[in-house]
Amino acid sequence: MLLIKCPWCGERDMVEFTHGGDATKVYPKDPNATTSEEWHDFIYLRENPCGEHVEYWHHVAGCRQWLKVRRDTTTHDILTTAPADGDLDT
Amino acid sequence: MTRYSIFSLIKQGLIRHTGWKRAWRNPEPKAAYDVIIIGGGGHGLATAYYLAKLHGIHNVAVLEKGWLGGGNTGRNTTIIRSNYLLDPNAHLYEHSMKLWEGLSQDLNFNVMFSQRGVLNLCHSKAQTDAFARRGNAMRLNGIDAELLSRDEVRKRIPELDFSDQVRFPICGGLLQPRGGTARHDGVAWGFARAADQRGVDIIQNCEVTDFIIEGGRVTGVETTRGKITAGKVAMAVAGHTGVLAQKAGLTLPIESHILQAMVSEPLKPLLDTVVTFGAGHFYISQSDKGGMVFGGDIEGYNSYAQRGNLPTLEHVISAGVSMMPCLSRVRMLRSWGGTVDMTMDGSPIIGKAPIEGLFINGGWNYGGFKATPGSGWVYAHTIANDAPHPLNEAFTLERFARGRLIDERGAGANPALH
């Protein structure tokens, strides 16, 4: 069972959350100036690391805020959490 | 090598089964091979078998980091079907189905392929229409499909919930009579034995740690048992395609997720077919030992842990109980998890990698087992001819960049939803 520390609500059960995917992918700054290769990279390609993964979760059955989580994909340990626009290292 | 038959069985019976020989060799890796296949699961072993049998390439090694069939080959719910809507999927899985139909004889190994039928239940008028459409598409592709009414479903499986007060009433179902199940470990063992007989070296406990790339061409691999060179290197590593491809500098449209499956204590005969719930994700069959084998959705987050969490089990079982209420008192025996490659369109990748001499077979989502012989067959063709077979030419890695996705579910670029 994963206990995810929501920055607003504290540690909550994983069933309250929905996984939001890889948080290292950043939406292109200027969509009109973005090449096909850059779109392909943003939409489809994933580092898919075996180890630490930075990802979004949505506290959908709680405060409904989005958060950023660093989690180990080999142990499921939640390492750090932050608001979605925050910094995981502070 | 002994040919298995009724006579070999009687002969061994008379000497108390003390004379069985090991089914394949345990060779030391050679310094060089024509083809190295990374991954000793069903797909890798099938590829080696068809390379040797159909393409005359016998100098082949299958490198397995653990033991044969210890990954998803031994962790799935053993369902075999080809009930797909989209042409590329229908053609590939139907080719695989035809190979399954002759596989035990071809391999001289009983893979216990049982064509007990796969029945998808539908629970609304709209879903019935969608199933009729898929059934028609299947029949146009030469695949057997029958749309059953509620009464016909009830006659086949009276244990399902046909009461009046249900949230998701059963309206009917789409049946593929040729679908069924097989003994998953037996498939790995059968391919291993048959490939070994044709000269393939199967090397277990040998993990590939890096690729050797010279002048833009893969010329071999570094392993935990030393360097091995090869003319061609082919990946077939199920949930770990992303990790392995990173070693060759490739980033793929794949995320690794966990899929859990479960088995109950053995029961007397209860269910003689495979049945799936249409209002949630749940599929169930009864093994020859009597255990109810079932599974459902993936967990929904990236993982290589090969184990899942309780909420998903609870979700899967609740779907099962609403479909088949008599399951509520069945005791669970075991549950387990496997790492699955989820691609961005829910379909596999089988073809040449962007590096010369390297081939990729992965991204099977959670549908790889049924494809085992077909996947090996087309992959062997691709490796031998340096070009895909018409059956797998749509399943390229480049299809994502070109927008030619094969999105059976229509879920878009979200691997957790396929």
Side-chain angles (χ1 to χ4, degrees), chain B residues 19-57:
Chain B
W20 293 113
K21 298 276 185 294
R22 62 180 300 148
W24 54 84
R25 296 167 296 128
N26 187 24
E28 283 299 308
K30 289 192 273 184
Y33 289 93
D34 292 343
V35 177
I36 285 176
I37 294 164
I38 308 170
H43 288 236
L45 294 165
T47 306
Y49 170 68
Y50 289 116
L51 271 175
K53 185 192 174 203
L54 302 176
H55 304 283
I57 301 173

Side-chain angles (χ1 to χ4, degrees), chain B residues 307-323:
Chain B
R307 64 176 184 278
N309 277 295
L310 205 53
T312 307
L313 292 183
E314 212 173 356
H315 178 77
V316 169
I317 291 168
S318 60
V321 170
S322 43
M323 183 183 90

Side-chain angles (χ1 to χ4, degrees), chain B residues 159 267-272 286 290 292:
Chain B
E159 301 85 5
L267 305 176
K268 287 184 176 176
L270 170 66
L271 185 64
D272 63 357
Q286 187 167 20
M292 306 305 292

Side-chain angles (χ1 to χ4, degrees), chain B residues 298-344:
Chain B
I298 57 172
E299 298 274 309
Y301 47 86
N302 298 39
S303 171
Y304 289 91
Q306 291 192 313
R307 64 176 184 278
N309 277 295
L310 205 53
T312 307
L313 292 183
E314 212 173 356
H315 178 77
V316 169
I317 291 168
S318 60
V321 170
S322 43
M323 183 183 90
M324 211 166 156
C326 64
L327 290 177
S328 66
R329 290 190 298 138
V330 172
R331 277 176 294 198
M332 298 276 296
L333 193 64
R334 290 183 287 129
S335 69
W336 60 93
T339 307
V340 292
D341 283 348
M342 300 302 293
T343 59
M344 288 288 176

